[in-house]
Structures are given as structure tokens and as C-alpha cells.
Amino acid sequence: MPFLKIEIPFVFGGDGSSLLIPPDHRGTVEAILAATVAWARDSLGLTLRAALVPVAAVRAAGRDLRVARYAASADVAYAMFTGGGLAWAEAAMKAGS
């Protein structure tokens, strides 16, 4: 699988992480997520949830997803998300939607 050579905005939460990827990289990320879920199950005996939620689905649900980048230094940057979209997507994933 090829490695993505792009900057991807992400945040780590209490029990997981969220990131935004361009739609044209969906196939690569889907394969990587599936392999990671299988590895966690087969090697560690853990259940790992993963989902790909299009921004269009977030907006269709009445939420939004906006991202800002804060460069703390030349080598460190943080993503910040607003609009309620990440919380909605996580809740939908956990509900099995």
C-alpha cells in the first residue's frame, strides 16, 4: 500500500482519534483501517471500531465540520475542529449507523 504524503488534520480523544482525509485517498485509508482492525483483533484480542464518514453525511445530519490549523512552531501544528460534526460521526459509529 502506498503511503500518503499529505498533511492530515487529526485530533486524539480520550479513547480514539479522528482525522480528515481527501476523498481521493479513501480507498487507501479504508484498506489501512481494515488491516489495523484485523491486526488488533488477531494479534491483541481487542475490538477496534473504525469508520469512514463523509463530510456530506455530517452536513446532511445538520452538523458541520470546519478545521483550523494552529502552528505552535515551525515543526509542530495542531488541528482544531468545530461544528459538532466529529462528535456526531463518533456517536453514529458507536451506534453502528
Side-chain angles (χ1 to χ4, degrees), residues 64-90:
D64 199 5
L65 188 53
R66 295 180 304 267
V67 62
R69 180 178 185 267
Y70 170 68
S73 72
D75 298 316
V76 177
Y78 299 98
M80 298 171 285
F81 299 94
T82 64
L86 284 184
W88 177 84
E90 181 181 351

Side-chain angles (χ1 to χ4, degrees), residues 2-79:
F3 288 99
L4 299 178
K5 297 190 182 207
I6 58 173
E7 288 193 36
I8 298 175
F10 67 92
V11 293
F12 290 106
D15 64 349
S17 63
S18 299
L19 52 112
L20 269 71
I21 59 161
D24 57 325
H25 291 294
R26 180 183 176 102
T28 300
V29 172
E30 190 171 310
I32 292 168
L33 281 175
T36 303
V37 168
W39 171 79
R41 180 194 62 233
D42 299 342
S43 297
L44 305 174
L46 298 174
T47 300
L48 179 67
R49 290 184 283 216
L52 291 170
V53 181
V55 173
V58 170
R59 292 188 173 138
R63 305 303 194 286
D64 199 5
L65 188 53
R66 295 180 304 267
V67 62
R69 180 178 185 267
Y70 170 68
S73 72
D75 298 316
V76 177
Y78 299 98

